[in-house]
Amino acid sequence: MRWQGQTIDDADGAALPGMENRTGIVRSVTTPEFAGMTFHEVLARSALNHVPSGSRMPFSWTINPYRGCSHACVYCVSPDTLVLCADGRQRRIDDLLVGDEIIGTERQGNYRRYVRTRVLAKWGTQKPAYRVTLADGTVIIASGDHRFLTDRGWKHVADAERGQRPHLTANNRLMGFGAQVARPEILQLITSSMTELRIPHVSEPPRPNGVSCVRVTGGLPQRQRFFDLTQPAIMRKLGIEGSAVKSASDLRIVAVDALGETRDLVDITTGTGDFIANGVISHNCFARGTHEYLDLDGGGDFDSQIVVKTNVAEVLAKELRKGSWQHESVALGTNTDPYQRAEGRYKLMPDIIRALAESGTPFSILTKGTLIRRDIPILRDAAKHVPIDIQMSIAMYDDALQHSIEPGTPSTQARLDTVRALTDAGFRVGVFLMPVLPHLTDSVAAIDHALQRIEQTGADHVIYGALHLRAGVKPWFMQWLGREHPELMSSYRELYPGAAADAPKAYRQWLAKRVRPLIRAHGLEARHSDDDAYPARQLTRPTHLRTTAAAQPAPTLF
């Protein structure tokens, strides 16, 4: 990992509000390797986290050396971008507040329609900026990662720096009504002002009651333009809620230009997963709750403000020496991946592993990261003293699907190779075939293909589970599904209605009848099982390193 050109800023408690009672900030580090990202190096007061007794988690203690993750993307637009609000007016995105009602869209039957939604989260960041110019004169400033809805689906503003992704090109057509607007004085004389402002209109003949009307023509784009120009006191005509998304404006892409500079950008999370930005339908970023207890937001901050507990191993060693410590199993990887890319610089895991082993504390590791291969010699030494449970999370076995839903993580093959390296070192490694995605990865062919590849690694067992959509993840997943697989939206709404996080019992039972015979056929059953999809297991030492000490139950992670 390259960390040349890093910048170190002195920091104090004000830099990370909410951390004052938990940590002391040492410094904040930025580096070209992680553009737009800041690592806040902190001195933690505690390392062991006790899971509340009422939790569904089948473990009692965790260690999280990092808060936040470098795997996610940032999607943002210029602070002066106009967002369509529920009252029909447009407001700058930087003026919006969490809880404000705005307009988003959702698919209803055969049409995508404008619907009312709320701002759930808001944050700012700094990213290289691009100018998107449309044929009707609409101009939008956004990051290259930002996505807009086109007549060919969701597309990023710019291609990826490495690899490829769907992105805007000339003659792509955005969906919406455009924002070719100015803001002059409120109209004094309706007809003459409309003519002056080139708003198409007709003067209708008097009605039987003697009332004469001036009617704006040109459909929704011109109606919206009229309301933006005039800001009338009577607002009932402004609402477009329920209207189908159709465009009479010329929203073809004319140009996408890199501005060659980093700008302050803003993004929001909404209940529908999108919003109307300068008159076109814009993807929003998603919020995740694990950062919010720090008074950081769960969206941009989760991706860009990574908290690194630099003294975690030292604090852990002191906690493990306390007479009150009962040497219960400790789980690593339950919140954020302990082997995310930043671990390549900070190297926190080796000393954590040593501290646990020297204290006689069994532990488990769940990771998607291939960096664990670096620590195989340390894990082998630790396994001479305590049982160790290692699980590799590999859910997707279709490369395109994996890249789409897990951008920035190691490839499926790289993770399978890591399982092989661990099994060759003598560890019994489990593979988390989780989550199984309804209608995407739950076919017999998909499951059998995944199990064949897992079996070839020498993995000991497979643990499966249906998709679980906790509150912080659900908005992101549903907007991803709407973008990539809109045909499945109605099915997923039935499976996960309202605030439901778990797939219904009937689906889980159906999945069990499909998966378990295949797991048995490939010899990948866990050694201890029950009626649940997450069987209790034994923590194990490598086969050639085991002593006579009794194995202890491992925490099952999901």
Side-chain angles (χ1 to χ4, degrees):
M1 180 178 295
R2 296 183 298 104
W3 283 72
Q4 294 93 335
Q6 67 184 16
T7 301
I8 300 175
D9 298 320
D10 291 333
D12 55 28
L16 282 178
M19 296 290 286
E20 297 88 345
N21 297 325
R22 299 177 179 87
T23 59
I25 298 191
V26 178
R27 62 182 184 177
S28 297
V29 179
T30 61
T31 169
E33 182 70 11
F34 294 97
M37 189 173 298
T38 301
F39 292 92
H40 299 285
E41 299 178 357
V42 304
L43 297 179
R45 296 185 180 182
S46 64
L48 288 166
N49 304 303
H50 190 258
V51 178
S53 58
S55 171
R56 297 175 55 195
M57 299 297 101
F59 46 82
S60 298
W61 296 92
T62 68
I63 300 171
N64 294 295
Y66 302 96
R67 287 286 187 181
C69 187
S70 54
H71 290 159
C73 298
V74 177
Y75 315 94
C76 294
V77 293
S78 176
D80 60 2
T81 300
L82 297 176
V83 174
L84 180 62
C85 296
D87 63 3
R89 300 183 186 274
Q90 299 198 70
R91 293 169 57 192
R92 288 167 53 105
I93 191 170
D94 60 342
D95 291 335
L96 293 179
L97 300 174
V98 172
D100 284 349
E101 284 196 319
I102 62 172
I103 294 295
T105 73
E106 67 178 17
R107 188 173 293 276
Q108 297 178 0
N110 295 327
Y111 294 96
R112 180 179 290 272
R113 295 184 182 277
Y114 295 105
V115 297
R116 188 180 297 252
T117 187
R118 288 187 182 273
V119 177
L120 303 180
K122 175 185 173 183
W123 57 89
T125 188
Q126 290 186 330
K127 298 283 287 182
Y130 291 75
R131 180 192 299 111
V132 180
T133 305
L134 307 184
D136 75 335
T138 299
V139 175
I140 309 166
I141 305 298
S143 72
D145 294 319
H146 202 85
R147 295 174 184 162
F148 292 97
L149 184 61
T150 76
D151 54 357
R152 298 181 180 180
W154 292 97
K155 292 192 175 185
H156 295 270
V157 169
D159 202 359
E161 293 183 5
R162 300 178 182 176
Q164 295 181 332
R165 64 185 179 188
H167 61 281
L168 299 179
T169 57
N171 294 324
N172 281 163
R173 185 183 299 274
L174 299 189
M175 302 301 293
F177 47 79
Q180 185 182 332
V181 297
R183 291 187 178 271
E185 296 291 332
I186 294 178
L187 300 178
Q188 301 297 319
L189 300 173
I190 295 176
T191 302
S192 60
S193 296
M194 284 186 173
T195 301
E196 180 70 21
L197 295 169
R198 293 180 292 181
I199 296 175
H201 61 281
V202 294
S203 297
E204 296 183 338
R207 298 176 182 177
N209 62 2
V211 174
S212 298
C213 295
V214 177
R215 179 167 58 86
V216 175
T217 60
L220 181 60
Q222 293 300 332
R223 187 182 76 168
Q224 195 64 39
R225 180 167 176 259
F226 167 76
F227 284 127
D228 281 318
L229 287 167
T230 61
Q231 296 291 297
I234 299 175
M235 305 294 292
R236 64 177 180 271
K237 292 290 187 179
L238 271 67
I240 65 171
E241 187 176 354
S243 301
V245 176
K246 298 178 180 179
S247 181
S249 297
D250 190 354
L251 301 182
R252 289 174 295 116
I253 299 292
V254 173
V256 178
D257 300 309
L259 297 183
E261 61 183 11
T262 297
R263 289 196 179 185
D264 292 328
L265 301 173
V266 179
D267 206 353
I268 58 177
T269 291
T270 74
T272 57
D274 64 2
F275 58 99
I276 314 303
N278 280 8
V280 296
I281 300 173
S282 167
H283 167 277
N284 76 174
C285 194
F286 58 95
R288 287 146 291 174
T290 57
H291 248 33
E292 293 174 0
Y293 92 109
L294 304 176
D295 291 342
L296 296 171
D297 70 64
D301 287 344
F302 185 90
D303 304 336
S304 62
Q305 306 294 318
I306 311 300
V307 178
V308 184
K309 303 174 185 177
T310 56
N311 67 332
V312 64
E314 178 184 350
V315 172
L316 174 64
K318 292 179 180 179
E319 292 176 333
L320 295 174
R321 288 197 294 267
K322 292 180 179 179
S324 59
W325 177 242
Q326 299 298 309
H327 303 278
E328 299 176 69
S329 296
V330 172
L332 292 111
T334 61
N335 187 15
T336 53
D337 198 325
Y339 283 105
Q340 60 177 280
R341 290 185 297 159
E343 172 63 14
R345 167 181 168 85
Y346 289 102
K347 299 181 177 65
L348 302 180
M349 284 297 291
D351 285 341
I352 290 174
I353 293 168
R354 293 188 185 101
L356 291 167
E358 291 171 4
S359 71
T361 300
F363 62 93
S364 65
I365 298 173
L366 171 62
T367 182
K368 296 179 182 179
T370 57
L371 190 57
I372 191 174
R373 297 175 69 167
R374 178 201 66 190
D375 291 347
I376 287 178
I378 300 171
L379 289 166
R380 283 167 57 92
D381 288 341
K384 298 174 183 178
H385 305 284
V386 296
I388 300 173
D389 189 43
I390 300 176
Q391 310 290 334
M392 179 65 68
S393 176
I394 317 176
M396 311 298 158
Y397 294 79
D398 176 273
D399 290 343
L401 182 61
Q402 188 267 337
H403 180 74
S404 174
I405 203 168
E406 295 182 334
T409 60
S411 69
T412 297
Q413 188 57 53
R415 282 183 258 179
L416 290 169
D417 291 342
T418 300
V419 174
R420 168 52 70 186
L422 288 161
T423 57
D424 286 348
F427 288 94
R428 278 207 316 247
V429 182
V431 172
F432 270 37
L433 185 61
M434 301 170 65
V436 177
L437 304 179
H439 311 305
L440 289 172
T441 64
D442 62 354
S443 69
V444 170
I447 296 168
D448 188 58
H449 172 68
L451 294 173
Q452 285 178 13
R453 296 181 67 181
I454 294 170
E455 183 182 3
Q456 291 169 2
T457 68
D460 180 73
H461 59 273
V462 165
I463 299 171
Y464 75 94
L467 176 66
H468 175 81
L469 291 175
R470 61 184 182 273
V473 173
K474 194 169 188 176
W476 167 77
F477 181 85
M478 295 305 286
Q479 65 83 15
W480 172 86
L481 188 73
R483 182 182 73 249
E484 301 292 337
H485 297 280
E487 73 282 2
L488 298 179
M489 286 294 290
S490 60
S491 177
Y492 270 75
R493 288 195 184 103
E494 292 179 6
L495 287 169
Y496 300 92
D502 291 310
K505 184 177 180 179
Y507 177 83
R508 299 198 306 271
Q509 291 174 336
W510 172 87
L511 185 63
K513 291 179 180 178
R514 171 163 289 193
V515 176
R516 288 179 177 176
L518 291 170
I519 289 177
R520 285 195 297 270
H522 287 278
L524 292 169
E525 284 185 288
R527 300 183 187 281
H528 300 274
S529 62
D530 52 29
D531 291 336
D532 193 27
Y534 318 106
R537 303 183 310 284
Q538 293 296 106
L539 284 167
T540 62
R541 297 186 175 90
T543 53
H544 63 285
L545 297 177
R546 292 181 200 153
T547 68
T548 57
Q552 301 182 31
T556 304
L557 310 183
F558 56 92

